[in-house]
Amino acid sequence: MYFPYLRGKQFELIALRELAALPLNPNKIIPIVEPVKIGLKSISTALKVLKQFEVKIQLIVNPKVGQLVGKTDEIITFISEQIAQGIDNIIPTFLIEGDSDVVLLQNVAQDQGFDKTGYALIHMAPVRKLEELSKYSQDTTCLYNTIHINHVFALRRKFRVETLGILGDYFRKQRVNADYANDLDESFSSDCFYYRNEGFAVFSDYQSIGDSWIEGGMLPKAVVIHLTYRDPGQDEIRIHHFVSNTNDDTLDVAGKFYEALTKLVNFCNQLELKDSLAIKSFRDLHAREAFPGLGVVKKLSIMHHIELIQGLI
Amino acid sequence: MQPCPTYDKAQLRELASLVSHAAFKKLGNSTNQSTYIRRMKKSIGWDNTETAKPRCLSDLISYSYQILEQQYRHEYIYKNKLLNDFVMEYYAMDDTILLNEFRIGQSIADAVLINGTNKVFEIKTELDTPERLESQLNDYYKAFTEVYLFTHISLLDKYLSILPNYVGVLIYTEEGEVAQFRPAINNKEFLDASFMMASLRKPEYSRLVKELVGFLPEVTPVFYYRACLTVLNELPIEDVQSMYCHILKNRIDKQTNMYLTQGDLPSFVNFSFYQAKYNKKAYLTMINNLSKNLL
């Protein structure tokens, strides 16, 4: 199984909605969504669309970045409202970084009955109360234990094998967009080919965005499109960065997008990559010489990655 | 009451951050100013002040403003003085725009005035260095034809020795007045349509093209920017520049001017108010905050 880890921003959620009709396979894909914006309307829209395809979302109830840090109560209320409306494809999910998260888990899970109806954990760091946590998860309905790759050795033995997942951050973020031109084609990850043999039920990643969190952003000088693809020669996912040519100012974003897009389309033709929904959209934008905005570019990148992985597992 | 005590650099810096556009903007969007008032009282040493204490927030800011005018003339003081004692003095606000922090090329002009004429003001306070001045001037002359340096009289000689003769000079006098030392000489030599276009928003540069040639380029979206620039590059640069100024003047905000010239605002807030383009609600919130009783 694959858990794409997404921050609940507008274009990430639209990516999920538009992918749903692919259709997403509920036995292969369960997105993790960390809500980061006050007002959970766009999450509820995504849940509704995914529900039609029986795809679940692991909704983080204790986000660590964004506007909802510390607002667990709000998110819990949201989950109850959704369930009351028949939207039951939510798996309440807890980020575990410290002992206070363990306490929160136990309180919330018991209050809300998640200990029986099911919940999931994402282990970002080992905690002092590890034994207690381990026992709690084995005694209650803990569906998934996704472990950050840095702590796999210490933590995997503490949780039931059939619940184990591995979370890796494979995207190498550059300081500014133009810097992607220094390394246009990089290895991304081979987890999707090996995770089962290595004793995991699941693997997870942050797609072509990475774990690091930045609120807002500046207008970039260079436009970059990130595209993951399967290495034709071996079991590995690579990532290619398509960078615009004229990058000394923040002007003419549309023209720069077209420069990057032209490279992407040529690349897809050359490698004869299979058309994903996103690649089809990129081809269409290229043919029409249209510019949809940078948010849509990010959306298409995410959609492409999830579709690629679903086809490989 | 007249401020007399002296303050150390750290206190003045803190005070300067409270007397700034960033700080004043908040006066228009929240009725709760207790943190702001507390910080300001702390940095002027309210508890140790022995003379009559300011009664309302407006008086308190005014008192802080006077301290800064005497001991730490930062950029806001210059900008506010430029607006109050030069622009509002000599120009009709209904037909004038004063742009703040206007980006031209790699530089940001402190203020740009457009009326029948155009004037860029580069402010060099006593806290600034002449660093980057040359590249800033080079950028400004790509879009505008008159540039003024606005500096304190004590720095006049230093700047005169490095300024080209066509750059005008305004001085901040010992008495706290604005005086013209020499006028700028019109310089069209370096005008460049690509810099003008780059400083405009899309609807503005579209209008610039449309007004000049009567039509918009019919190209796909990704080539639109380049097509507009190609059109502009083929026209006489003086025509482009004069229409460019005309288009920037559309940023004049009548309502802001009305509130500004009505005179209900204390003069220290004028520059910030002018930039922020307040609606009626924000305006009233600000007036209300300023009259808040402190005692």
Side-chain angles (χ1 to χ4, degrees):
Chain A
M1 263 210 282
Y2 172 50
F3 295 168
Y5 192 120
L6 299 162
R7 295 306 169 19
K9 293 166 98 176
Q10 186 189 5
F11 285 100
E12 276 81 344
L13 294 164
I14 299 177
L16 288 182
R17 272 156 51 188
E18 293 189 4
L19 265 182
L22 189 58
L24 282 180
N25 181 338
N27 299 317
K28 289 186 176 178
I29 309 281
I30 307 180
I32 297 169
V33 174
E34 181 170 10
V36 291
K37 297 265 178 213
I38 290 172
L40 296 163
K41 184 82 186 71
S42 51
I43 293 186
S44 103
T45 314
L47 280 165
K48 217 172 280 172
V49 176
L50 292 184
K51 162 85 178 157
Q52 295 165 15
F53 301 90
E54 293 302 327
V55 175
K56 298 190 183 91
I57 283 184
Q58 296 180 59
L59 185 66
I60 291 175
V61 299
N62 59 335
K64 299 294 182 187
V65 295
Q67 299 168 343
L68 292 168
V69 174
K71 310 253 175 171
T72 297
D73 292 351
E74 262 177 56
I75 302 168
I76 297 292
T77 311
F78 171 79
I79 293 177
S80 329
E81 286 166 7
Q82 295 297 308
I83 294 174
Q85 293 168 31
I87 304 294
D88 55 1
N89 51 331
I90 305 176
I91 301 174
T93 299
F94 297 79
L95 284 173
I96 304 293
E97 280 185 2
D99 286 341
S100 58
D101 296 317
V102 179
V103 175
L104 179 93
L105 159 70
Q106 290 169 331
N107 291 341
V108 171
Q110 197 185 347
D111 277 4
Q112 303 293 321
F114 299 155
D115 53 351
K116 301 194 179 56
T117 54
Y119 66 92
L121 300 179
I122 300 171
H123 304 271
M124 300 302 288
V127 293
R128 191 178 306 185
K129 294 187 174 191
L130 183 56
E131 284 309 323
E132 190 181 330
L133 178 63
S134 159
K135 183 166 187 315
Y136 185 82
S137 98
Q138 311 224 12
D139 292 347
T140 54
T141 313
C142 182
L143 302 170
Y144 304 108
N145 284 283
T146 305
I147 304 170
H148 191 284
I149 193 160
N150 289 357
H151 306 294
V152 159
F153 276 102
L155 297 181
R156 65 184 297 173
R157 26 185 117 97
K158 300 292 181 183
F159 303 96
R160 290 200 307 271
V161 171
E162 68 275 17
T163 66
L164 285 182
I166 178 172
L167 166 64
D169 181 8
Y170 302 108
F171 184 70
R172 203 154 66 93
K173 201 167 187 84
Q174 301 286 359
R175 194 179 56 86
V176 294
N177 270 351
D179 290 350
Y180 288 105
N182 301 334
D183 232 331
L184 284 178
D185 197 281
E186 301 176 277
S187 157
F188 186 77
S189 155
S190 52
D191 290 0
C192 69
F193 301 104
Y194 300 108
Y195 70 100
R196 280 179 201 280
N197 289 342
E198 288 164 3
F200 294 96
V202 175
F203 76 99
S204 178
D205 66 28
Y206 298 90
Q207 308 89 45
S208 51
I209 297 177
D211 172 29
S212 69
W213 166 258
I214 304 159
E215 179 79 58
M218 300 227 303
L219 206 53
K221 288 188 172 180
V223 170
V224 185
I225 314 173
H226 309 287
L227 192 80
T228 49
Y229 67 102
R230 183 187 179 162
D231 187 333
Q234 55 188 332
D235 283 343
E236 188 177 59
I237 305 291
R238 297 189 65 81
I239 184 162
H240 199 100
H241 312 291
F242 302 93
V243 186
S244 53
N245 300 325
T246 42
N247 301 327
D248 25 337
D249 54 42
T250 58
L251 310 169
D252 194 14
V253 183
K256 289 174 185 169
F257 168 70
Y258 186 71
E259 292 172 352
L261 182 64
T262 305
K263 293 181 186 174
L264 180 146
V265 169
N266 290 341
F267 182 85
C268 291
N269 291 342
Q270 228 162 38
L271 269 77
E272 298 176 3
L273 296 186
K274 192 169 153 254
D275 268 2
S276 61
L277 286 180
I279 292 182
K280 274 185 211 152
S281 291
F282 279 132
R283 287 185 184 284
D284 172 59
L285 290 166
H286 188 253
R288 290 191 292 119
E289 299 180 349
F291 174 56
L294 293 176
V296 170
V297 175
K298 181 174 73 170
K299 175 195 84 175
L300 291 172
S301 248
I302 295 170
M303 286 175 67
H304 173 78
H305 184 67
I306 299 174
E307 182 175 345
L308 172 73
I309 300 294
Q310 170 162 298
L312 291 172
I313 59 175
Chain B
M1 94 191 203
Q2 283 306 307
C4 45
T6 49
Y7 296 87
D8 65 37
K9 272 272 143 57
Q11 280 174 304
L12 291 167
R13 250 199 306 274
E14 166 76 2
L15 205 53
S17 76
L18 297 171
V19 176
S20 65
H21 182 43
F24 290 160
K25 260 196 303 199
K26 295 184 192 140
L27 291 174
N29 55 30
S30 164
T31 51
N32 182 359
Q33 298 296 333
S34 53
T35 314
Y36 180 65
I37 294 170
R38 197 170 55 242
R39 280 182 61 197
M40 191 169 272
K41 279 182 174 177
K42 188 166 167 242
S43 46
I44 60 164
W46 173 271
D47 293 335
N48 302 324
T49 323
E50 300 200 338
T51 44
K53 292 182 182 180
R55 298 180 61 88
C56 64
L57 180 53
S58 179
D59 291 348
L60 177 64
I61 301 176
S62 176
Y63 176 74
S64 307
Y65 193 91
Q66 285 176 54
I67 294 172
L68 291 167
E69 266 187 321
Q70 290 167 12
Q71 301 178 33
Y72 194 84
R73 288 173 286 270
H74 65 313
E75 193 180 82
Y76 184 80
I77 301 266
Y78 276 74
K79 285 184 168 175
N80 199 43
K81 193 163 281 298
L82 183 71
L83 176 65
N84 288 331
D85 299 348
F86 185 78
V87 181
M88 287 175 69
E89 194 78 15
Y90 300 114
Y91 295 86
M93 293 312 285
D94 278 351
D95 193 40
T96 303
I97 183 94
L98 185 69
L99 303 161
N100 180 34
E101 303 281 311
F102 188 75
R103 177 177 281 281
I104 311 157
Q106 300 297 310
S107 307
I108 294 173
D110 292 317
V112 180
L113 176 144
I114 300 167
N115 174 276
T117 107
N118 67 90
K119 293 178 169 36
V120 178
F121 299 101
E122 175 55 32
I123 293 169
K124 292 290 182 196
T125 73
E126 295 130 284
L127 310 166
D128 292 328
T129 63
E131 234 175 284
R132 295 204 58 237
L133 182 59
E134 190 184 341
S135 66
Q136 288 173 319
L137 293 175
N138 288 343
D139 276 336
Y140 303 158
Y141 281 110
K142 302 278 205 253
F144 298 101
T145 60
E146 289 183 25
V147 178
Y148 282 83
L149 184 85
F150 181 25
T151 191
H152 194 261
I153 185 149
S154 59
L155 302 173
L156 182 61
D157 289 341
K158 174 169 127 185
Y159 282 106
L160 284 179
S161 68
I162 54 174
L163 279 181
N165 67 343
Y166 46 82
V167 177
V169 179
L170 289 185
I171 40 185
Y172 188 129
T173 67
E174 289 291 359
E175 295 74 34
E177 286 160 358
V178 184
Q180 180 171 300
F181 176 78
R182 73 179 189 205
I185 298 167
N186 216 313
N187 186 345
K188 298 177 177 167
E189 197 182 333
F190 307 111
L191 290 177
D192 181 333
S194 70
F195 281 73
M196 295 180 218
M197 182 169 157
S199 68
L200 296 176
R201 301 155 186 159
K202 191 175 175 187
E204 287 175 326
Y205 67 70
S206 297
R207 218 187 124 203
L208 177 61
V209 172
K210 183 113 194 253
E211 296 277 347
L212 286 166
V213 297
F215 62 89
L216 289 172
E218 281 186 30
V219 292
T220 54
V222 298
F223 293 116
Y224 184 72
Y225 191 92
R226 282 165 218 195
C228 286
L229 184 57
T230 308
V231 171
L232 295 179
N233 276 334
E234 285 167 3
L235 298 166
I237 193 71
E238 292 177 26
D239 295 355
V240 176
Q241 206 262 342
S242 127
M243 185 56 73
Y244 168 71
C245 288
H246 178 74
I247 286 188
L248 282 172
K249 272 174 68 177
N250 282 307
R251 295 191 190 176
I252 292 172
D253 188 279
K254 287 217 165 72
Q255 180 169 272
T256 299
N257 285 338
M258 185 187 81
Y259 289 137
L260 189 69
T261 45
Q262 216 163 316
D264 290 340
L265 290 162
S267 64
F268 61 74
V269 85
N270 275 353
F271 184 81
S272 175
F273 180 82
Y274 181 73
Q275 295 313 323
K277 296 203 161 74
Y278 285 163
N279 58 23
K280 186 167 183 189
K281 181 165 172 268
Y283 170 73
L284 293 174
T285 307
M286 176 176 249
I287 294 271
N288 186 33
N289 278 331
L290 288 170
S291 62
K292 254 188 194 144
N293 203 322
L294 300 177
L295 305 171

